[in-house]
Amino acid sequence: MSASKLVKPSLEYRESFIEALAEYHEAGLLNQLDLERISKDYEGFVEDLCDEMGQHHQNLEPWAEKVRETVLWLVKDTDYIGFVKIRHRVNWHLERFGGHVSFSIRPSMRGRGFGKKLLQRALPSIHALGIERALITIAPDNHAARRIIEFCGGTLQDQTSATDRFPAQMRFWIVYD
Ligand SMILES: CC(C)(COP(=O)(O)OP(=O)(O)OC[C@H]1O[C@@H](n2cnc3c(N)ncnc32)[C@H](O)[C@@H]1OP(=O)(O)O)[C@@H](O)C(=O)NCCC(=O)NCCS
């Protein structure tokens, strides 16, 4: 069995990705991704994700300034394990919620060290996109994410208070020397 690696989304992970998405939906997560539509046109879904120009990050407000985003997947053999999304820059919204980088491990694969591997392996890609300081924001009670970010060299800047628009967030920076 091979080691896990970070790759561009691709066709060989179809079965595993669809299974993972069903798992996310069962846990009440990623509901914005339409399982039926993706099952029917997985090829088109992957093509959009791999757009050379990067995806448009779905902002909290439809009228907010759009930001390019690169999506990479953590995989092992033909198994899909998780994703990292790297925004090429942060806008006003992302400074408060979302940051440059977000990441997720599919529910059934959590607690096995993959979260650490995912962010660690994403560090060169983040830098390669021209990001010298990467912002990551997380909920204050997200202890696993905090462990991962600090393991990858992130330092806490502050904790924002909840507003009518944004939930409270701890804001971390990973700075490249
Ligand atoms: C956060 C997330 C990525 C963690 O993934 P994971 O694969 O379970 O993480 P790991 O197994 O690599 O564990 C990372 C560290 O957190 C610790 N940890 C895991 N769950 C924990 C918990 N509930 N409380 C405290 N620490 C926890 C682990 O012990 C490990 O620390 P250690 O190696 O120093 O002992 C995963 O839970 C997830 O996808 N959550 C939803 C999305 C999210 O919150 N993303 C993060 C911010 S965008």
Side-chain angles (χ1 to χ4, degrees):
M1 192 172 275
S2 60
S4 60
K5 58 183 180 183
L6 208 56
V7 297
K8 277 183 151 187
S10 83
L11 299 184
E12 63 192 295
Y13 308 108
R14 183 184 195 285
E15 199 180 323
S16 181
F17 180 81
I18 301 284
E19 190 187 276
L21 188 52
E23 210 176 275
Y24 272 112
H25 285 185
E26 257 173 53
L29 302 165
L30 299 189
N31 287 322
Q32 73 278 17
L33 295 181
D34 184 336
L35 182 57
E36 202 182 316
R37 194 184 65 75
I38 293 171
S39 305
K40 277 191 193 140
D41 183 20
Y42 178 78
E43 206 166 315
F45 170 69
V46 161
E47 205 173 295
D48 285 352
L49 282 185
C50 291
D51 183 340
E52 294 275 301
M53 293 294 288
Q55 288 267 296
H56 276 305
H57 169 65
Q58 203 174 6
N59 293 286
L60 289 177
E61 305 284 359
W63 42 261
E65 188 189 4
K66 291 205 173 357
V67 168
R68 295 275 178 198
E69 178 179 79
T70 293
V71 180
L72 297 170
W73 286 356
L74 187 75
V75 299
K76 194 172 160 105
D77 300 315
T78 54
D79 290 334
Y80 167 90
I81 300 173
F83 69 78
V84 58
K85 292 181 175 183
I86 310 165
R87 281 126 220 160
H88 300 191
R89 61 187 182 78
V90 288
N91 63 18
W92 184 87
H93 287 78
L94 290 165
E95 274 174 25
R96 287 153 183 82
F97 182 70
H100 286 96
V101 181
S102 59
F103 52 93
S104 174
I105 296 296
R106 63 186 280 186
S108 65
M109 297 275 196
R110 291 183 187 169
R112 300 191 209 175
F114 286 123
K116 264 185 169 174
K117 285 190 179 131
L118 173 65
L119 187 60
Q120 196 177 24
R121 294 198 171 134
L123 292 176
S125 306
I126 297 166
H127 201 204
L129 282 164
I131 299 164
E132 297 288 343
R133 298 173 75 240
L135 176 66
I136 309 183
T137 81
I138 59 171
D141 63 352
N142 195 341
H143 305 296
R146 181 174 187 162
R147 297 280 297 177
I148 292 168
I149 295 164
E150 289 180 335
F151 173 78
C152 289
T155 51
L156 181 66
Q157 172 189 291
D158 58 13
Q159 181 171 323
T160 61
S161 303
T163 65
D164 53 351
R165 274 195 192 169
F166 303 105
Q169 292 284 278
M170 286 199 294
R171 301 196 287 191
F172 291 85
W173 289 94
I174 293 177
V175 179
Y176 293 85
D177 294 324

